[in-house]
Amino acid sequence: MKELTPKQLRAVCRASDLKCKSSADFPPLKDIVGQKRALQALSFGLEIGDHGFNIYVSGAHGTGRTTAVTTYLNEIAAKDPAPSDVVYVSNFSDPYQPKALMLSAGKGKGLVVDLDNFIEASRNAITKMLESEEYANSREDRRSQYERQRNDILTDMQEKAQKAGFALRGTQTGLVIVPVVEGEEVKRSQVAKMSAEDRESIENRREALETELRKLFMKLQTLERELVQELRKMEEEAVRFTLNPIIDDFLDEYTNYPEISEFIHAIAKDITGNLSIFMGQQGGNVTGPPQQQPRRISPEEFSKRYRANLIVDNSEQEGAPVLIVTNPTYSNLFGRIEKESRFGTLFTDFSMIRPGALHKVNGGYLVVPIRELLTSPLSYQALKRALQNNHIIIEEPAEQAGFLSMKTLRPEPIPLKVKVVIIGDPFIYRQLYILDPDFRELFKVKADFDTSMERSEKNIKLYCQFIRSLTHKEELRELSVEAIAEIVDYSSRLADNQTKLSVQFSVIADVIREANYYAKEARTRLIERKHIIQALEARLYRSNLLEEKIRELIQKEVILITTKGEVVGQINGLSVLSLGDFAFGRPSRVTASVAPGRGRVIDIEREAGLGGNIHHKGVHILSGYLSERFGRDKPLSLSARLVFEQSYSGVEGDSASSTELYALLSALSGVAIQQRFAVTGSVNQQGEVQAIGGVNEKIEGYFAVCKLTGLTGDQGVLIPKANIQNLMLKEEVVKAVEAGKFHIFAVETIDEGIALLTGKPASEINELADKRLKEMANVMREYSTSPK
């Protein structure tokens, strides 16, 4: 046991050690600070390739995980080639399944322009061809031939009618056969007045003539069909002949893309089959997904089917893409198919396909926060499926989930090659690793981000560079050397260790930003130490209302805490209350009572349902200590009760186990504990005092109470010796220790602690306790043997 000196209570960064005038003397930080292990894992995951070696970055919030990962990925990605452009085009054989074309970076934008030019050039060339004299003469020659053949057939029909005694007359309903008698056409009413023999003769001749004419009509229809077919064939051949040089010129730029050659020839075939619509000679009726009824479209709208939908353009991409998706919804990751209302129905086509993050980052690196991924419906499962199948499939979310099935577009899947980096905390990693076999197969690399790094001269310099980077990037005032020193010390306070620096850079950055505000208000050129202190005090003031209320209750003696005098079986324990953004130490009165019994130590907090499992474990350890120390020559025949007085919320942790043991030894020995002390520390069955957490908050909490009730110069705290390295106390406490107004003792064993607390040797306390236990054993023996 020893009393600690002021130099042991905190590590101090001296301004003279920094060898600078301000943060402006340092270059901006280029390297990632304090995460060597994590970066090695990250590097391994990126270099090993596919087969499930995606990366889970694990660490506490605020440790710079996202910034560090993206910085590192950008450095790696800059050395990689830019990935392919992605273009969706029409599938003329199945409009519901648009085709995907993959082109080298920058080619996609050129394809869009080239297709527009191709369409315009094709329309102009076809127009010129259709208006050419040669083509007109060819069509006219064939029409003239048809007219001659048609006239011959009509003449033959007239001659056959005359020979049979009839005349042919054209009407709105077609040709009509009219009987001719003595050179005159006879009406139906006149025929009815003829003799039966004449009428029969006319009818027989009519039937024979109709048979002949029917054959001639069929010949005429065949001739018309042949004319249409030949004109159509002539037009198609002329169009193909016209488009061939345009196609060849177009394909000169895409010799290495057979799928584009296939697509451009499909366009030529579709233009030929829909020439009248393409040329605007007539409106067209077309059907397409997912319309309910055919609709009339203009030539301009019709031509959209020949254009390209560039969903990924890497023309300006240097290196592989790195993309952070902070809102990883299903549509944001995998894209969507938009629809628009036309004439009361929903319409879509390949031009309404929109990309997701996986399309944009394909060939690069995707960074996703795990909490947002897991809370976005469908996203996590769909991402795993995409990584397993190495394809990106654009589907309707409702259909993908199996809620709804409707006929819509099913774009061709795109090959996926991406490295996924998930950022989360250790708890989620453990749960996914245990519960999800797919996760273990897909995310084989874990990069653990630490919360602290060594407080070395090199790392302090890196900290200065981080500060310089922040002030430069956000255009803040530079920090004076004294302000930098204060930040370094505060960093060790965050790390709860004199030999460490915290890497919770988000917290450090917020302090500097707030200090910059106060420096701006004061109109100083630099952020001074007083501004850093002002920022820290302001952050404390905004969060410590509950702490002040509890201290007020202690001052008014509503909550009973004694810092003077001596009491048997009573001691001041120390605990930490955490409010999320703020934690503070709170002294609590711990009491113990003993009586003859069956060797049981009762934890009243546990009995009341307020004690946690770890606290209850600490109480059992006390029983083990008592058995080891006092139970070798006799049964422990006591009933002991331990309680945190005026505690109305849960008690958890074993940091008060030594405190409870001191109170119990006092109650057994009958020796009073000096109430000027407060105690923290856990204990094992051998009586060794072990390290605990929150040591700074606990000491400062008790110091604040002593200050309220009046510092007497002999008050102090007992802490485990193992916690000396964790001390980063406030300057106010250090000065009080230096002035002899407050004391801090480090103990290694219960014997050291009980001697200090009672002012008597530990051997005497133990002897008195052992004597009391023997008396209790005798009482229990006599009671058990006495007649009932």
Side-chain angles (χ1 to χ4, degrees):
M1 183 268 299
K2 64 175 182 178
E3 183 175 359
L4 301 185
T5 65
K7 289 184 178 180
Q8 293 177 290
L9 303 183
R10 65 179 285 144
V12 178
C13 178
R14 294 179 176 84
S16 58
D17 294 338
L18 296 176
K19 299 177 183 178
C20 68
K21 295 181 179 179
S22 72
S23 56
D25 294 340
F26 294 94
L29 184 66
K30 294 182 179 180
D31 299 323
I32 298 168
V33 180
Q35 303 294 351
K36 182 179 179 181
R37 181 192 300 269
L39 293 181
Q40 287 177 343
L42 190 62
S43 176
F44 168 76
L46 297 177
E47 292 176 3
I48 196 170
D50 300 327
H51 309 292
F53 285 92
N54 295 294
I55 303 162
Y56 186 102
V57 175
S58 174
H61 178 75
T63 54
R65 297 167 302 171
T66 304
T67 301
V69 167
T70 51
T71 300
Y72 188 78
L73 290 179
N74 283 322
E75 292 177 0
I76 298 297
K79 303 172 185 177
D80 296 336
S84 300
D85 292 346
V86 181
V87 174
Y88 270 109
V89 295
S90 291
N91 183 349
F92 299 108
S93 59
D94 186 356
Y96 288 95
Q97 295 185 345
K99 292 185 176 181
L101 304 178
M102 310 287 290
L103 300 90
S104 57
K107 276 285 186 179
K109 184 181 290 186
L111 178 64
V112 172
V113 176
D114 290 345
L115 284 174
D116 289 342
N117 293 336
F118 174 81
I119 295 168
E120 187 65 26
S122 298
R123 183 177 281 113
N124 293 337
I126 293 173
T127 299
K128 186 176 180 180
M129 180 273 294
L130 294 176
E131 294 176 352
S132 68
E133 185 177 350
E134 180 181 358
Y135 179 73
N137 290 337
S138 298
R139 290 179 63 89
E140 187 60 33
D141 290 345
R142 184 63 186 87
R143 286 186 177 276
S144 297
Q145 182 183 355
Y146 165 75
E147 290 296 333
R148 288 194 299 271
Q149 292 174 329
R150 179 174 180 275
N151 290 335
D152 290 343
I153 294 173
L154 292 176
T155 300
D156 190 19
M157 292 173 67
Q158 289 287 358
E159 289 176 353
K160 290 183 180 297
Q162 289 178 1
K163 186 176 180 180
F166 292 94
L168 297 177
R169 296 289 180 264
T171 67
Q172 292 181 347
T173 59
L175 290 176
V176 176
I177 301 174
V178 180
V180 176
V181 178
E182 297 178 356
E184 296 291 336
E185 294 181 5
V186 180
K187 297 179 179 180
R188 188 182 298 274
S189 59
Q190 293 174 315
V191 173
K193 295 178 180 179
M194 293 182 180
S195 64
E197 184 179 353
D198 290 339
R199 290 199 303 274
E200 183 179 356
S201 172
I202 290 173
E203 190 63 30
N204 290 337
R205 285 185 285 114
R206 181 193 296 275
E207 291 178 359
L209 178 59
E210 286 179 348
T211 301
E212 292 291 331
L213 292 180
R214 192 174 296 113
K215 294 177 180 179
L216 292 174
F217 270 121
M218 292 178 62
K219 186 177 180 180
L220 185 61
Q221 290 175 349
T222 300
L223 187 63
E224 290 178 351
R225 283 197 300 271
E226 290 176 351
L227 173 64
V228 172
Q229 291 173 358
E230 290 184 18
L231 290 177
R232 179 62 180 166
K233 184 178 180 180
M234 182 186 300
E235 183 181 74
E236 290 177 355
E237 290 177 351
V239 170
R240 280 197 294 269
F241 182 79
T242 301
L243 292 180
N244 281 339
I246 303 176
I247 293 174
D248 293 340
D249 183 60
F250 180 92
L251 293 179
D252 284 344
E253 293 291 325
Y254 303 96
T255 54
N256 297 324
Y257 299 97
E259 63 276 14
I260 293 182
S261 175
E262 179 184 345
F263 174 63
I264 206 69
H265 282 98
I267 289 179
K269 182 178 179 181
D270 193 75
I271 289 175
T272 303
N274 297 279
L275 186 63
S276 59
I277 307 175
F278 177 72
M279 298 304 297
Q281 296 171 353
Q282 65 181 55
N285 290 338
V286 297
T287 58
Q291 291 131 203
Q292 301 293 328
Q293 299 293 334
R295 61 186 184 85
R296 306 279 292 184
I297 62 172
S298 65
E300 292 75 17
E301 185 178 355
F302 181 80
S303 297
K304 290 181 180 179
R305 64 198 283 142
Y306 305 134
R307 292 184 166 87
N309 178 13
L310 178 61
I311 67 167
V312 178
D313 178 17
N314 286 315
S315 59
E316 298 180 3
Q317 178 68 40
E318 297 180 1
V322 177
L323 186 60
I324 305 175
V325 182
T326 56
N327 184 26
T329 63
Y330 180 83
S331 296
N332 286 348
L333 283 177
F334 294 90
R336 63 191 183 278
I337 302 171
E338 294 181 344
K339 300 176 181 65
E340 63 182 18
S341 178
R342 295 183 180 178
F343 306 105
T345 61
L346 292 178
F347 171 81
T348 189
D349 62 15
F350 77 95
S351 67
M352 297 185 187
I353 298 173
R354 299 293 178 260
L358 283 175
H359 296 92
K360 299 174 183 178
V361 82
N362 199 5
Y365 306 92
L366 177 66
V367 182
V368 185
I370 187 62
R371 287 186 181 275
E372 287 75 5
L373 181 65
L374 293 176
T375 54
S376 297
L378 310 177
S379 295
Y380 177 63
Q381 295 296 333
L383 179 60
K384 290 194 301 179
R385 190 159 47 249
L387 293 175
Q388 289 167 336
N389 300 327
N390 295 318
H391 280 93
I392 309 172
I393 300 176
I394 302 177
E395 294 181 287
E396 295 287 347
E399 185 174 357
Q400 198 271 343
F403 297 146
L404 178 67
S405 180
M406 60 181 294
K407 194 170 185 180
T408 184
L409 296 184
R410 299 185 182 275
E412 181 181 358
I414 295 172
L416 175 64
K417 184 179 181 182
V418 67
K419 186 68 70 172
V420 178
V421 180
I422 286 180
I423 296 180
D425 57 56
F427 174 77
I428 294 180
Y429 177 85
R430 289 194 297 270
Q431 297 302 308
L432 290 176
Y433 194 88
I434 294 170
L435 302 175
D436 186 1
D438 293 336
F439 177 82
R440 296 197 294 269
E441 292 299 318
L442 293 172
F443 295 90
K444 297 179 180 178
V445 179
K446 179 184 179 184
D448 247 332
F449 269 63
D450 202 350
T451 58
S452 63
M453 61 183 181
E454 292 298 322
R455 181 168 169 155
S456 63
E457 183 178 346
K458 177 183 176 182
N459 286 340
I460 289 176
K461 183 178 180 181
L462 290 175
Y463 232 80
C464 295
Q465 290 181 247
F466 160 73
I467 294 171
R468 170 60 175 149
S469 297
L470 178 69
T471 58
H472 177 73
K473 180 180 178 181
E474 300 189 11
E475 298 182 351
L476 306 178
R477 285 169 165 76
E478 299 296 340
L479 276 69
S480 69
V481 63
E482 293 81 7
I484 295 175
E486 187 66 29
I487 285 291
V488 170
D489 289 346
Y490 176 67
S491 177
S492 291
R493 166 76 181 218
L494 284 179
D496 272 334
N497 199 306
Q498 297 177 1
T499 64
K500 300 286 185 179
L501 292 173
S502 172
V503 293
Q504 296 184 55
F505 294 113
S506 62
V507 178
I508 299 296
D510 286 342
V511 171
I512 294 174
R513 293 184 186 108
E514 188 166 346
N516 181 75
Y517 168 79
Y518 296 125
K520 184 178 179 181
E521 289 289 306
R523 298 183 180 181
T524 60
R525 185 177 64 87
L526 298 175
I527 298 174
E528 303 290 350
R529 179 175 182 269
K530 62 181 180 181
H531 300 133
I532 300 294
I533 295 174
Q534 187 178 1
L536 294 174
E537 291 177 347
R539 291 166 65 88
L540 174 65
Y541 178 76
R542 292 193 293 267
S543 301
N544 74 338
L545 178 61
L546 178 59
E547 180 185 25
E548 291 185 354
K549 292 292 184 182
I550 290 176
R551 289 178 185 171
E552 182 181 348
L553 293 175
I554 292 173
Q555 186 178 23
K556 293 180 178 180
E557 298 184 356
V558 175
I559 296 177
L560 300 178
I561 298 293
T562 303
T563 61
K564 302 172 184 177
E566 298 178 346
V567 181
V568 174
Q570 176 178 301
I571 192 171
N572 293 320
L574 297 174
S575 60
V576 174
L577 293 182
S578 177
L579 305 179
D581 64 330
F582 173 66
F584 64 95
R586 175 196 169 181
S588 298
R589 175 178 288 180
V590 178
T591 59
S593 62
V594 295
R598 299 186 180 277
R600 184 184 178 195
V601 178
I602 298 175
D603 176 13
I604 294 180
E605 304 296 330
R606 179 75 172 187
E607 296 296 318
L610 297 177
N613 292 329
I614 298 176
H615 179 261
H616 193 52
K617 174 187 174 183
V619 174
H620 282 299
I621 291 174
L622 301 188
S623 299
Y625 173 83
L626 293 175
S627 298
E628 173 68 20
R629 177 60 66 90
F630 304 110
R632 294 187 177 186
D633 58 349
K634 59 187 172 301
L636 293 182
S637 303
L638 85 159
S639 175
R641 289 170 173 78
L642 298 169
V643 66
F644 277 72
E645 304 290 356
Q646 293 183 292
S647 173
Y648 308 108
S649 59
V651 176
E652 181 59 302
D654 64 349
S655 66
S657 57
S658 67
T659 310
E660 293 169 321
L661 182 53
Y662 291 137
L664 193 55
L665 290 174
S666 172
L668 284 170
S669 66
V671 178
I673 289 176
Q674 300 177 66
Q675 300 301 295
R676 60 192 176 94
F677 291 113
V679 179
T680 185
S682 69
V683 67
N684 60 28
Q685 293 186 109
Q686 282 70 46
E688 297 172 320
V689 179
Q690 303 169 143
I692 44 81
V695 64
N696 293 300
E697 289 81 3
K698 291 176 178 178
I699 294 173
E700 290 165 357
Y702 187 64
F703 173 79
V705 170
C706 292
K707 187 178 176 181
L708 281 176
T709 58
L711 288 170
T712 60
D714 60 354
Q715 296 150 330
V717 175
L718 277 66
I719 67 169
K721 183 180 179 181
N723 280 120
I724 293 176
Q725 63 179 342
N726 304 115
L727 293 176
M728 283 297 296
L729 293 169
K730 292 179 180 179
E731 191 172 349
E732 180 185 18
V733 180
V734 175
K735 287 182 178 179
V737 171
E738 189 174 8
K741 296 181 179 180
F742 195 72
H743 306 272
I744 298 173
F745 299 89
V747 298
E748 292 186 82
T749 64
I750 290 297
D751 285 347
E752 290 180 359
I754 195 65
L756 178 64
L757 291 169
T758 59
K760 297 181 181 296
S763 58
E764 181 179 341
I765 302 298
N766 291 330
E767 184 179 346
L768 291 172
D770 187 62
K771 180 179 178 182
R772 179 74 182 278
L773 286 170
K774 287 180 179 179
E775 293 173 354
M776 290 181 178
N778 291 331
V779 169
M780 290 300 297
R781 187 182 302 112
E782 293 174 1
Y783 179 78
S784 61
T785 58
S786 63
K788 303 297 189 290

